[in-house]
Amino acid sequence: MTAHRIDFSEVEKRLGVSRRTFLKFCAGVAASLGLPASAAQAMAEAVADPKRRPPVIWLHGQECTGPSESLLRSEQPSLEHLILDLISLDYHQTLDAGAGHFVEDIKKKTMAENKGKYLLVIEGAIPVKDDGIYCKIGGETMLHITHEAAEHAAAIVAFGSCAAWGGVQAAEPNPTGATGAPQVLKGKNVVSIPGCPPNPANFLGTVLYFVTYGKLPPLDDKGRPKWAYSRLIHENCYRRPHFDAGRFATEFGDEGHRKGWCLYKLGCKGPETYNNCPSLEFNNVGGNVWPVGVGHPCFGCSEDGVGFSKPLFSLSDVKTHTPPNMFPDIADRQETGGLSATGAALAGAAVGTAVGASLMAAKKLKEAEGSVTDQEE
Ligand code: SF4
Ligand code: F3S
């Protein structure tokens, strides 16, 4: 990668990272986004040029501030630092030092002076029932504020599950009519980055793409960036060999749980949730820090119709059926805890039965678990 046009001394000073770390970071983001190596150069130039920082208006609706908290707790190299350097955060309802009319005036000025150029980030759901009276900021409803800020935005980011599709507020019976930004702003250019909390790296990659190319990255049918949400958690989960071999934890703290076996029977929704948690993990601290990595079933926080909709104890629909090639083969009977290689393959194949797949899976996996128990007894 050649980067002779970039003033690295300035970048190093601003970001507090070395040139090498900075270029490695850009190359890593480009690779995560599925872009060629040349994109890393374009991204490095975009980050290095302070004039390309888009003004950002950041609104909060019904939520717990989890997405902002998640962003501020990212570490090494500090994503928070990179993000806040990459954008000009002109208005953020929880981070602004000022308050009242002073900051509201700044918001209005930013919108008026940057029509068609600013990025609107929405965190939290928007209640639409009774003309939106259930969430007001500065005397205006979130519904009104959202429409007002969206009118001249270059692009809109719905950050977190609440903003993407309503989140926990939208769970039945949804008394306030909590709704996601894409549904409120139909016809607008909205990208959803769901998660509870969402991974700040997914926000950074999306914004970096926008700053570099002046448009949003390719999106899936739910408006999510394909580079981050095209794979099921179950496809990349490090516990997947246990699923394929029929080894399950059945209670928190039981032997299977202590041994790191699959959490499917504890209600893991990884088989029907699209997100990149297994590969990105959280907060760059290492040590497998993501829900399944620390022993808790995925509850589908980023998937509309799963998180906050399906009870945690219910079994997941299994969308993928055959083990991917990259996982190790099942070695032998002892290694699989009493399940023969053929038996394990059959159990896996049963999961793939097209009709009534999840029922068959549950049945076969129960049998498989019986084999494990028998052997151990
Ligand atoms: Fe991992 Fe959950 Fe799939 Fe088991 S069911 S392999 S714990 S994602
Ligand atoms: Fe959420 Fe599941 Fe990832 S609960 S953070 S989508 S592992």
Side-chain angles (χ1 to χ4, degrees):
M1 179 166 60
T2 55
H4 51 273
R5 279 182 284 165
I6 301 171
D7 180 355
F8 283 110
S9 59
E10 177 59 22
V11 174
E12 284 173 337
K13 203 162 79 188
R14 271 175 34 219
L15 297 181
V17 294
S18 70
R19 169 184 179 277
R20 186 182 165 79
T21 304
F22 173 62
L23 289 176
K24 254 175 77 180
F25 172 80
C26 291
V29 174
S32 307
L33 268 66
L35 298 172
S38 57
Q41 165 76 10
M43 285 179 176
E45 285 175 18
V47 177
D49 183 358
K51 291 196 219 70
R52 287 168 74 174
R53 298 193 309 167
V56 170
I57 307 277
W58 193 301
L59 302 178
H60 290 262
Q62 293 174 304
E63 45 101 27
C64 66
T65 324
S68 285
E69 293 283 346
S70 148
L71 190 148
L72 295 173
R73 269 151 189 71
S74 44
E75 295 287 338
Q76 296 296 324
S78 169
L79 288 187
E80 166 214 356
H81 198 161
L82 275 161
I83 290 167
L84 295 180
D85 194 78
L86 187 63
I87 60 177
S88 169
L89 191 54
D90 290 1
Y91 178 87
H92 187 294
Q93 288 162 341
T94 51
L95 295 182
D96 279 343
H101 294 296
F102 176 67
V103 289
E104 291 304 313
D105 288 347
I106 290 176
K107 182 180 82 172
K108 286 198 167 29
K109 189 162 174 268
T110 303
M111 291 193 301
E113 290 178 357
N114 297 282
K115 285 186 179 171
K117 292 187 196 146
Y118 63 87
L119 202 58
L120 172 63
V121 180
I122 299 175
E123 183 176 337
I126 303 151
V128 298
K129 200 170 164 192
D130 301 326
D131 295 325
I133 58 166
Y134 302 107
C135 183
K136 284 185 157 186
I137 301 114
E140 301 279 7
T141 64
M142 178 65 179
L143 185 59
H144 168 80
I145 293 168
T146 303
H147 279 296
E148 181 189 48
E151 191 178 355
H152 297 295
I156 302 161
V157 181
F159 192 37
S161 292
C162 303
W165 39 267
V168 68
Q169 295 78 205
E172 286 296 323
N174 192 359
T176 65
T179 307
Q183 299 86 51
V184 167
L185 300 171
K186 282 202 174 73
K188 289 277 181 191
N189 204 9
V190 185
V191 54
S192 288
I193 303 182
C196 186
N199 198 313
N202 289 342
F203 180 79
L204 176 74
T206 303
V207 174
L208 196 47
Y209 189 100
F210 176 77
V211 171
T212 307
Y213 299 108
K215 59 181 183 182
L216 293 174
L219 307 179
D220 69 8
D221 59 350
K222 290 187 174 175
R224 304 173 292 195
K226 282 186 183 168
W227 67 271
Y229 294 91
S230 61
R231 308 300 291 265
L232 287 165
I233 297 217
H234 189 59
E235 287 177 65
N236 289 326
C237 179
Y238 74 106
R239 295 184 192 236
R240 177 65 185 268
H242 294 297
F243 176 92
D244 294 328
R247 292 186 289 228
F248 300 98
T250 52
E251 273 181 39
F252 287 101
D254 72 4
E255 187 184 4
H257 193 238
R258 290 199 303 279
K259 283 182 169 171
W261 290 358
C262 173
L263 305 173
Y264 175 78
K265 293 196 173 185
L266 291 176
C268 182
K269 303 297 185 294
E272 55 184 327
T273 299
Y274 290 86
N275 207 336
N276 54 4
C277 318
S279 41
L280 276 192
E281 303 178 355
F282 276 83
N283 295 347
N284 296 345
V285 292
N288 216 1
V289 175
W290 63 290
V292 171
V294 295
H296 195 282
C298 166
F299 80 99
C301 78
S302 61
E303 197 66 35
D304 187 9
V306 180
F308 313 114
S309 301
K310 285 194 169 181
L312 183 55
F313 56 79
S314 68
L315 289 185
S316 177
D317 290 335
V318 180
K319 286 179 186 271
T320 52
H321 310 306
T322 48
N325 294 334
M326 71 189 86
F327 289 143
D329 289 336
I330 295 162
D332 57 33
R333 196 174 172 82
Q334 190 179 13
E335 174 63 17
T336 57
L339 189 65
S340 71
T342 313
L346 283 174
V351 182
T353 306
V355 182
S358 60
L359 274 177
M360 282 299 290
K363 184 169 175 290
K364 289 286 179 186
L365 294 172
K366 192 168 182 213
E367 287 166 8
E369 189 204 27
S371 307
V372 174
T373 311
D374 292 344
Q375 176 74 9
E376 286 169 354
E377 283 168 2

